[in-house]
Amino acid sequence: MALTHIDPQADTASVRRISILGATGSIGKSTTDLIRRNRERFQVVALTANGNAAALAELAREFEAELAVVADTGALEDLQRALAGTSIETAAGPDALCDAAGVPADLIVAGIVGAAGLDATLAAVRQGTLLALANKECLVCAGDLLLAESERAGTRLLPLDSEHNAIFQVFEADNADDVEKLIVTASGGPFRTWSRKQMASATREQAISHPNWDMGRKISVDSATMMNKGLELIEAAYLFPVAEPDIEVLVHPQSVVHSMVAYVDGSVLAQMGPPDMRVPIAHALAWPARMQSPAARLDLAAIGSLDFEAPDLERFPAIDLARNALAAGGGATVVLNAANEVAVNRFLDGEIGFLAIADTVARTLDQVNGYDIRSLDDFRALDQESRAVAQMLVKSNS
Ligand code: NDP
């Protein structure tokens, strides 16, 4: 797998040219905060957003980017107006997003949310750029394709997700055969102690109020259903040479231990830190060196005790939906992701209840027959079919 082939001799002395896909989002903001504090180490090349032209233009001006791209063509005029009088190039649309990912850089942060980021992330990998991957849906939808392309281009994937970044930090690539299991920790989300009955009437505001992390809306809802952990389980299976049955999920409400690797001699190596995405992002931005991050320092004496518990798979069926889709193969994870994106959006729009999210995913998986994803066209066809079925199920439910 990609991470075991990483060349630790990567150049860290010179200024890193960096592009950020999804610069205006939560991952983008944490990344630009770190760059702002370490200006001498980075030169910003390309920045992208969906439709938030004002925020993108502000970042592009601040960091003197070479290129600013909005995915939504309707936002181009605003972007051009906001960047008038500068030498920053502007463009819009899905192809322009891929062009932004193709501009030569030393590191690209993949921080778009959802499968919408797949084309641009693939474009980044194809040109051989070191990729710091937060956009987990890319691996869930096209993991084989992404890894094959990164192998072909001789590039590397650095995980930004705190759990996978933690595993990356303690995974002994030279002793991969001696790894017994990966233990992916989960906060349990805002409804960790809620009954199914309580969850049935959970509001959007309650679902996006994560107890430990400040994140975008989609991943916050995924954390509440624990689908996020399911997606991460799939992500881990692609990033590390460990099979699905040996990847365990462990609930840890404090989000201090970000994940662990257990070895055959009984040793368990963990990475710890405050629940602040600037820690794993700083690790990836500076890799294989380290850089300063402003995150609060871990004070274990103040925290006092750390708790762990097994996930409740009855109350949180999304974990097994993801595990089963991964085990089934044949595109089932594409169906899972597409149905989840549709259902989360409908929940955020107030059209369905919280429990209907996992239910819609389960029913879509029952109805759509997957197939192996060998190309982007394969992915697009299955993704569209799954979204159509999920939409239909949501409509017939509401
Ligand atoms: P946000 O919703 O905060 O930001 C998403 C970014 O993607 C924004 O820049 C947005 O632009 C852009 N975007 C949205 N839709 C599209 C589209 N259709 N085409 C192009 N760009 C688009 O998300 P997060 O930062 O929270 O999450 C990003 C990814 O990182 C997700 O895959 C998530 O699972 C993962 N991740 C996030 C963590 C976090 O702490 N937030 C932690 C670990 C992983 P605009 O602002 O214009 O809408």
Side-chain angles (χ1 to χ4, degrees), residues 22-28 48-52 71 97 110-114 116 134-137 160-162 213-219 228 277:
T24 50
S26 160
I27 289 290
T48 81
N50 188 23
N52 195 346
L97 215 59
I112 293 174
V113 61
N135 189 184
K136 64 191 87 182
E137 294 91 348
L160 280 198
D161 227 336
S162 59
W213 299 95
D214 183 12
M215 308 182 286
R217 292 185 339 153
K218 193 261 179 182
I219 186 176
N228 185 47
M277 282 306 294

mmCIF file of all heavy atoms in Angstrom, residues 22-28 48-52 71 97 110-114 116 134-137 160-162 213-219 228 277, ligand 1:
data_model
loop_
_atom_site.group_PDB
_atom_site.id
_atom_site.type_symbol
_atom_site.label_atom_id
_atom_site.label_comp_id
_atom_site.label_asym_id
_atom_site.label_seq_id
_atom_site.Cartn_x
_atom_site.Cartn_y
_atom_site.Cartn_z
ATOM 1 N N GLY A 22 -10.295 23.204 -1.502
ATOM 2 C CA GLY A 22 -11.226 23.366 -0.380
ATOM 3 C C GLY A 22 -10.648 24.317 0.654
ATOM 4 O O GLY A 22 -10.764 24.083 1.862
ATOM 5 N N ALA A 23 -10.033 25.410 0.177
ATOM 6 C CA ALA A 23 -9.311 26.335 1.072
ATOM 7 C C ALA A 23 -10.224 27.059 2.048
ATOM 8 O O ALA A 23 -9.785 27.495 3.115
ATOM 9 C CB ALA A 23 -8.534 27.349 0.239
ATOM 10 N N THR A 24 -11.505 27.219 1.698
ATOM 11 C CA THR A 24 -12.417 28.007 2.536
ATOM 12 C C THR A 24 -13.127 27.174 3.603
ATOM 13 O O THR A 24 -13.894 27.712 4.399
ATOM 14 C CB THR A 24 -13.489 28.679 1.648
ATOM 15 O OG1 THR A 24 -14.047 27.664 0.795
ATOM 16 C CG2 THR A 24 -12.893 29.778 0.792
ATOM 17 N N GLY A 25 -12.888 25.865 3.614
ATOM 18 C CA GLY A 25 -13.560 24.999 4.585
ATOM 19 C C GLY A 25 -12.795 24.897 5.889
ATOM 20 O O GLY A 25 -11.813 25.619 6.124
ATOM 21 N N SER A 26 -13.264 24.006 6.735
ATOM 22 C CA SER A 26 -12.665 23.839 8.055
ATOM 23 C C SER A 26 -11.208 23.350 7.947
ATOM 24 O O SER A 26 -10.312 23.891 8.611
ATOM 25 C CB SER A 26 -13.545 22.853 8.850
ATOM 26 O OG SER A 26 -12.858 22.296 9.902
ATOM 27 N N ILE A 27 -10.964 22.351 7.110
ATOM 28 C CA ILE A 27 -9.581 21.879 6.900
ATOM 29 C C ILE A 27 -8.747 22.987 6.264
ATOM 30 O O ILE A 27 -7.600 23.232 6.658
ATOM 31 C CB ILE A 27 -9.582 20.618 5.987
ATOM 32 C CG1 ILE A 27 -10.150 19.405 6.743
ATOM 33 C CG2 ILE A 27 -8.199 20.319 5.423
ATOM 34 C CD1 ILE A 27 -9.283 18.857 7.844
ATOM 35 N N GLY A 28 -9.350 23.683 5.303
ATOM 36 C CA GLY A 28 -8.645 24.775 4.634
ATOM 37 C C GLY A 28 -8.247 25.858 5.626
ATOM 38 O O GLY A 28 -7.122 26.368 5.601
ATOM 39 N N THR A 48 -8.706 26.736 -3.923
ATOM 40 C CA THR A 48 -10.027 26.518 -4.530
ATOM 41 C C THR A 48 -11.134 26.566 -3.474
ATOM 42 O O THR A 48 -10.893 26.355 -2.287
ATOM 43 C CB THR A 48 -10.120 25.148 -5.254
ATOM 44 O OG1 THR A 48 -10.375 24.105 -4.302
ATOM 45 C CG2 THR A 48 -8.874 24.838 -6.061
ATOM 46 N N ALA A 49 -12.344 26.826 -3.976
ATOM 47 C CA ALA A 49 -13.562 26.776 -3.141
ATOM 48 C C ALA A 49 -14.701 26.324 -4.025
ATOM 49 O O ALA A 49 -14.503 26.103 -5.230
ATOM 50 C CB ALA A 49 -13.852 28.161 -2.566
ATOM 51 N N ASN A 50 -15.872 26.199 -3.450
ATOM 52 C CA ASN A 50 -17.044 25.877 -4.266
ATOM 53 C C ASN A 50 -17.670 27.185 -4.752
ATOM 54 O O ASN A 50 -17.466 27.576 -5.892
ATOM 55 C CB ASN A 50 -18.040 25.044 -3.461
ATOM 56 C CG ASN A 50 -19.169 24.542 -4.330
ATOM 57 O OD1 ASN A 50 -19.008 24.444 -5.548
ATOM 58 N ND2 ASN A 50 -20.294 24.234 -3.736
ATOM 59 N N GLY A 51 -18.385 27.879 -3.844
ATOM 60 C CA GLY A 51 -19.034 29.111 -4.276
ATOM 61 C C GLY A 51 -18.674 30.317 -3.431
ATOM 62 O O GLY A 51 -19.101 31.440 -3.719
ATOM 63 N N ASN A 52 -17.895 30.120 -2.392
ATOM 64 C CA ASN A 52 -17.576 31.217 -1.472
ATOM 65 C C ASN A 52 -16.447 32.095 -2.023
ATOM 66 O O ASN A 52 -15.304 32.049 -1.559
ATOM 67 C CB ASN A 52 -17.199 30.618 -0.104
ATOM 68 C CG ASN A 52 -17.221 31.665 0.993
ATOM 69 O OD1 ASN A 52 -17.265 32.870 0.695
ATOM 70 N ND2 ASN A 52 -17.184 31.229 2.230
ATOM 71 N N ALA A 71 -15.477 26.181 -7.950
ATOM 72 C CA ALA A 71 -16.098 25.077 -8.695
ATOM 73 C C ALA A 71 -17.404 25.556 -9.332
ATOM 74 O O ALA A 71 -17.749 25.170 -10.449
ATOM 75 C CB ALA A 71 -16.365 23.903 -7.761
ATOM 76 N N LEU A 97 -10.950 23.188 -11.648
ATOM 77 C CA LEU A 97 -10.551 22.627 -10.353
ATOM 78 C C LEU A 97 -9.406 21.613 -10.564
ATOM 79 O O LEU A 97 -8.420 21.597 -9.816
ATOM 80 C CB LEU A 97 -11.768 21.910 -9.753
ATOM 81 C CG LEU A 97 -11.967 21.942 -8.256
ATOM 82 C CD1 LEU A 97 -12.088 23.359 -7.752
ATOM 83 C CD2 LEU A 97 -13.230 21.156 -7.879
ATOM 84 N N ALA A 110 -5.833 18.029 0.070
ATOM 85 C CA ALA A 110 -7.138 17.669 -0.493
ATOM 86 C C ALA A 110 -8.177 17.845 0.603
ATOM 87 O O ALA A 110 -8.379 16.963 1.432
ATOM 88 C CB ALA A 110 -7.116 16.240 -1.012
ATOM 89 N N GLY A 111 -8.849 19.011 0.598
ATOM 90 C CA GLY A 111 -9.783 19.347 1.679
ATOM 91 C C GLY A 111 -11.179 19.655 1.193
ATOM 92 O O GLY A 111 -11.945 20.332 1.877
ATOM 93 N N ILE A 112 -11.517 19.165 -0.012
ATOM 94 C CA ILE A 112 -12.900 19.309 -0.492
ATOM 95 C C ILE A 112 -13.738 18.273 0.242
ATOM 96 O O ILE A 112 -13.240 17.206 0.610
ATOM 97 C CB ILE A 112 -12.960 19.111 -2.032
ATOM 98 C CG1 ILE A 112 -12.230 20.266 -2.731
ATOM 99 C CG2 ILE A 112 -14.410 19.020 -2.526
ATOM 100 C CD1 ILE A 112 -12.103 20.125 -4.234
ATOM 101 N N VAL A 113 -15.019 18.568 0.436
ATOM 102 C CA VAL A 113 -15.873 17.607 1.138
ATOM 103 C C VAL A 113 -16.628 16.744 0.118
ATOM 104 O O VAL A 113 -17.129 17.247 -0.884
ATOM 105 C CB VAL A 113 -16.849 18.321 2.113
ATOM 106 C CG1 VAL A 113 -17.785 19.274 1.395
ATOM 107 C CG2 VAL A 113 -17.645 17.301 2.919
ATOM 108 N N GLY A 114 -16.643 15.440 0.361
ATOM 109 C CA GLY A 114 -17.445 14.526 -0.449
ATOM 110 C C GLY A 114 -16.786 14.054 -1.729
ATOM 111 O O GLY A 114 -15.651 14.440 -2.055
ATOM 112 N N ALA A 116 -17.279 14.967 -4.538
ATOM 113 C CA ALA A 116 -17.035 16.092 -5.451
ATOM 114 C C ALA A 116 -15.541 16.384 -5.578
ATOM 115 O O ALA A 116 -15.112 16.999 -6.552
ATOM 116 C CB ALA A 116 -17.772 17.334 -4.955
ATOM 117 N N ALA A 134 -7.352 14.862 3.293
ATOM 118 C CA ALA A 134 -8.421 14.907 4.304
ATOM 119 C C ALA A 134 -9.708 14.353 3.713
ATOM 120 O O ALA A 134 -10.512 13.758 4.419
ATOM 121 C CB ALA A 134 -8.648 16.359 4.751
ATOM 122 N N ASN A 135 -9.873 14.546 2.413
ATOM 123 C CA ASN A 135 -11.104 14.196 1.678
ATOM 124 C C ASN A 135 -11.237 12.667 1.594
ATOM 125 O O ASN A 135 -11.025 12.051 0.563
ATOM 126 C CB ASN A 135 -10.986 14.842 0.277
ATOM 127 C CG ASN A 135 -12.249 14.778 -0.547
ATOM 128 O OD1 ASN A 135 -12.227 15.204 -1.696
ATOM 129 N ND2 ASN A 135 -13.338 14.257 0.001
ATOM 130 N N LYS A 136 -11.659 12.063 2.722
ATOM 131 C CA LYS A 136 -11.689 10.602 2.841
ATOM 132 C C LYS A 136 -12.622 9.939 1.840
ATOM 133 O O LYS A 136 -12.437 8.795 1.461
ATOM 134 C CB LYS A 136 -12.063 10.206 4.270
ATOM 135 C CG LYS A 136 -13.444 10.620 4.694
ATOM 136 C CD LYS A 136 -13.630 10.424 6.194
ATOM 137 C CE LYS A 136 -13.173 11.635 6.974
ATOM 138 N NZ LYS A 136 -13.257 11.552 8.406
ATOM 139 N N GLU A 137 -13.664 10.693 1.405
ATOM 140 C CA GLU A 137 -14.627 10.113 0.460
ATOM 141 C C GLU A 137 -13.934 9.663 -0.827
ATOM 142 O O GLU A 137 -14.427 8.771 -1.516
ATOM 143 C CB GLU A 137 -15.749 11.111 0.156
ATOM 144 C CG GLU A 137 -16.654 11.433 1.362
ATOM 145 C CD GLU A 137 -16.168 12.634 2.184
ATOM 146 O OE1 GLU A 137 -15.010 13.081 1.963
ATOM 147 O OE2 GLU A 137 -16.919 13.130 3.042
ATOM 148 N N LEU A 160 -4.398 13.181 6.568
ATOM 149 C CA LEU A 160 -4.661 14.333 7.452
ATOM 150 C C LEU A 160 -5.681 14.004 8.521
ATOM 151 O O LEU A 160 -5.709 14.626 9.578
ATOM 152 C CB LEU A 160 -5.206 15.508 6.636
ATOM 153 C CG LEU A 160 -4.245 16.369 5.865
ATOM 154 C CD1 LEU A 160 -4.909 17.682 5.503
ATOM 155 C CD2 LEU A 160 -2.990 16.650 6.649
ATOM 156 N N ASP A 161 -6.567 13.047 8.228
ATOM 157 C CA ASP A 161 -7.554 12.637 9.218
ATOM 158 C C ASP A 161 -6.781 12.305 10.497
ATOM 159 O O ASP A 161 -5.764 11.598 10.439
ATOM 160 C CB ASP A 161 -8.268 11.375 8.704
ATOM 161 C CG ASP A 161 -9.772 11.480 8.861
ATOM 162 O OD1 ASP A 161 -10.214 12.255 9.723
ATOM 163 O OD2 ASP A 161 -10.491 10.776 8.143
ATOM 164 N N SER A 162 -7.240 12.787 11.643
ATOM 165 C CA SER A 162 -6.421 12.660 12.859
ATOM 166 C C SER A 162 -6.128 11.191 13.188
ATOM 167 O O SER A 162 -5.023 10.860 13.617
ATOM 168 C CB SER A 162 -7.112 13.343 14.039
ATOM 169 O OG SER A 162 -8.376 12.768 14.258
ATOM 170 N N TRP A 213 -14.678 18.403 18.413
ATOM 171 C CA TRP A 213 -14.062 18.927 17.191
ATOM 172 C C TRP A 213 -14.951 19.992 16.560
ATOM 173 O O TRP A 213 -16.170 19.863 16.572
ATOM 174 C CB TRP A 213 -13.857 17.809 16.168
ATOM 175 C CG TRP A 213 -12.967 16.687 16.594
ATOM 176 C CD1 TRP A 213 -13.364 15.508 17.150
ATOM 177 C CD2 TRP A 213 -11.544 16.612 16.483
ATOM 178 N NE1 TRP A 213 -12.275 14.709 17.380
ATOM 179 C CE2 TRP A 213 -11.139 15.351 16.992
ATOM 180 C CE3 TRP A 213 -10.555 17.478 15.995
ATOM 181 C CZ2 TRP A 213 -9.814 14.934 17.019
ATOM 182 C CZ3 TRP A 213 -9.234 17.061 16.023
ATOM 183 C CH2 TRP A 213 -8.869 15.819 16.536
ATOM 184 N N ASP A 214 -14.314 20.996 15.960
ATOM 185 C CA ASP A 214 -15.027 22.034 15.229
ATOM 186 C C ASP A 214 -14.808 21.762 13.743
ATOM 187 O O ASP A 214 -13.723 21.985 13.210
ATOM 188 C CB ASP A 214 -14.445 23.402 15.642
ATOM 189 C CG ASP A 214 -15.182 24.538 14.965
ATOM 190 O OD1 ASP A 214 -16.253 24.287 14.374
ATOM 191 O OD2 ASP A 214 -14.662 25.674 15.011
ATOM 192 N N MET A 215 -15.854 21.228 13.052
ATOM 193 C CA MET A 215 -15.641 20.741 11.683
ATOM 194 C C MET A 215 -16.766 21.225 10.783
ATOM 195 O O MET A 215 -17.748 21.801 11.240
ATOM 196 C CB MET A 215 -15.636 19.203 11.674
ATOM 197 C CG MET A 215 -14.694 18.582 12.688
ATOM 198 S SD MET A 215 -14.661 16.786 12.610
ATOM 199 C CE MET A 215 -16.234 16.347 13.349
ATOM 200 N N GLY A 216 -16.649 20.917 9.484
ATOM 201 C CA GLY A 216 -17.711 21.232 8.536
ATOM 202 C C GLY A 216 -18.978 20.452 8.874
ATOM 203 O O GLY A 216 -18.956 19.493 9.645
ATOM 204 N N ARG A 217 -20.097 20.867 8.238
ATOM 205 C CA ARG A 217 -21.399 20.292 8.618
ATOM 206 C C ARG A 217 -21.524 18.824 8.239
ATOM 207 O O ARG A 217 -22.076 18.032 8.984
ATOM 208 C CB ARG A 217 -22.525 21.084 7.949
ATOM 209 C CG ARG A 217 -22.631 22.477 8.505
ATOM 210 C CD ARG A 217 -23.775 23.315 8.001
ATOM 211 N NE ARG A 217 -24.359 22.927 6.731
ATOM 212 C CZ ARG A 217 -25.628 23.176 6.396
ATOM 213 N NH1 ARG A 217 -26.424 23.770 7.262
ATOM 214 N NH2 ARG A 217 -26.106 22.823 5.219
ATOM 215 N N LYS A 218 -21.027 18.463 7.068
ATOM 216 C CA LYS A 218 -21.218 17.081 6.604
ATOM 217 C C LYS A 218 -20.484 16.099 7.523
ATOM 218 O O LYS A 218 -21.059 15.124 8.005
ATOM 219 C CB LYS A 218 -20.729 16.954 5.157
ATOM 220 C CG LYS A 218 -21.164 15.660 4.471
ATOM 221 C CD LYS A 218 -20.085 14.600 4.454
ATOM 222 C CE LYS A 218 -20.523 13.312 3.791
ATOM 223 N NZ LYS A 218 -19.486 12.285 3.833
ATOM 224 N N ILE A 219 -19.221 16.354 7.810
ATOM 225 C CA ILE A 219 -18.466 15.431 8.670
ATOM 226 C C ILE A 219 -19.020 15.458 10.097
ATOM 227 O O ILE A 219 -18.989 14.445 10.804
ATOM 228 C CB ILE A 219 -16.939 15.706 8.636
ATOM 229 C CG1 ILE A 219 -16.194 14.622 9.433
ATOM 230 C CG2 ILE A 219 -16.579 17.087 9.079
ATOM 231 C CD1 ILE A 219 -14.699 14.725 9.397
ATOM 232 N N ASN A 228 -18.996 8.450 10.013
ATOM 233 C CA ASN A 228 -17.620 8.919 9.855
ATOM 234 C C ASN A 228 -16.628 7.823 10.214
ATOM 235 O O ASN A 228 -15.617 7.631 9.536
ATOM 236 C CB ASN A 228 -17.386 10.173 10.715
ATOM 237 C CG ASN A 228 -16.010 10.769 10.486
ATOM 238 O OD1 ASN A 228 -15.588 10.944 9.346
ATOM 239 N ND2 ASN A 228 -15.289 11.065 11.551
ATOM 240 N N MET A 277 -7.256 19.931 14.753
ATOM 241 C CA MET A 277 -6.784 19.422 13.462
ATOM 242 C C MET A 277 -5.459 20.037 13.027
ATOM 243 O O MET A 277 -4.796 19.522 12.134
ATOM 244 C CB MET A 277 -7.852 19.660 12.379
ATOM 245 C CG MET A 277 -8.993 18.677 12.397
ATOM 246 S SD MET A 277 -8.431 16.938 12.331
ATOM 247 C CE MET A 277 -7.719 16.842 10.704
HETATM 248 P P1 NDP B 1 -16.191 22.076 4.907
HETATM 249 O O1 NDP B 1 -17.595 21.907 4.531
HETATM 250 O O2 NDP B 1 -15.849 22.930 6.067
HETATM 251 O O3 NDP B 1 -15.362 22.644 3.637
HETATM 252 C C1 NDP B 1 -15.482 22.063 2.387
HETATM 253 C C2 NDP B 1 -14.620 22.753 1.365
HETATM 254 O O4 NDP B 1 -14.869 22.165 0.085
HETATM 255 C C3 NDP B 1 -14.947 24.243 1.194
HETATM 256 O O5 NDP B 1 -13.800 24.912 0.751
HETATM 257 C C4 NDP B 1 -16.015 24.240 0.088
HETATM 258 O O6 NDP B 1 -16.097 25.462 -0.612
HETATM 259 C C5 NDP B 1 -15.448 23.137 -0.810
HETATM 260 N N1 NDP B 1 -16.495 22.457 -1.582
HETATM 261 C C6 NDP B 1 -17.715 22.045 -1.131
HETATM 262 N N2 NDP B 1 -18.402 21.448 -2.117
HETATM 263 C C7 NDP B 1 -17.607 21.492 -3.206
HETATM 264 C C8 NDP B 1 -17.771 21.090 -4.558
HETATM 265 N N3 NDP B 1 -18.907 20.503 -4.994
HETATM 266 N N4 NDP B 1 -16.746 21.279 -5.427
HETATM 267 C C9 NDP B 1 -15.607 21.879 -5.021
HETATM 268 N N5 NDP B 1 -15.395 22.305 -3.761
HETATM 269 C C10 NDP B 1 -16.389 22.119 -2.879
HETATM 270 O O7 NDP B 1 -15.602 20.608 5.075
HETATM 271 P P2 NDP B 1 -14.431 20.119 6.059
HETATM 272 O O8 NDP B 1 -13.245 21.007 5.919
HETATM 273 O O9 NDP B 1 -14.976 19.862 7.403
HETATM 274 O O10 NDP B 1 -14.091 18.680 5.439
HETATM 275 C C11 NDP B 1 -13.373 18.522 4.241
HETATM 276 C C12 NDP B 1 -12.964 17.069 4.103
HETATM 277 O O11 NDP B 1 -12.026 16.763 5.120
HETATM 278 C C13 NDP B 1 -14.115 16.078 4.266
HETATM 279 O O12 NDP B 1 -13.897 14.993 3.428
HETATM 280 C C14 NDP B 1 -14.000 15.633 5.716
HETATM 281 O O13 NDP B 1 -14.517 14.353 5.930
HETATM 282 C C15 NDP B 1 -12.490 15.667 5.907
HETATM 283 N N6 NDP B 1 -12.061 15.864 7.285
HETATM 284 C C16 NDP B 1 -12.417 17.020 7.925
HETATM 285 C C17 NDP B 1 -12.022 17.234 9.237
HETATM 286 C C18 NDP B 1 -12.342 18.519 9.936
HETATM 287 O O14 NDP B 1 -11.875 18.712 11.062
HETATM 288 N N7 NDP B 1 -13.112 19.401 9.364
HETATM 289 C C19 NDP B 1 -11.280 16.208 9.983
HETATM 290 C C20 NDP B 1 -10.920 15.058 9.189
HETATM 291 C C21 NDP B 1 -11.315 14.902 7.890
HETATM 292 P P3 NDP B 1 -17.146 26.640 -0.150
HETATM 293 O O15 NDP B 1 -16.593 27.203 1.116
HETATM 294 O O16 NDP B 1 -17.110 27.608 -1.287
HETATM 295 O O17 NDP B 1 -18.478 25.982 0.035
#
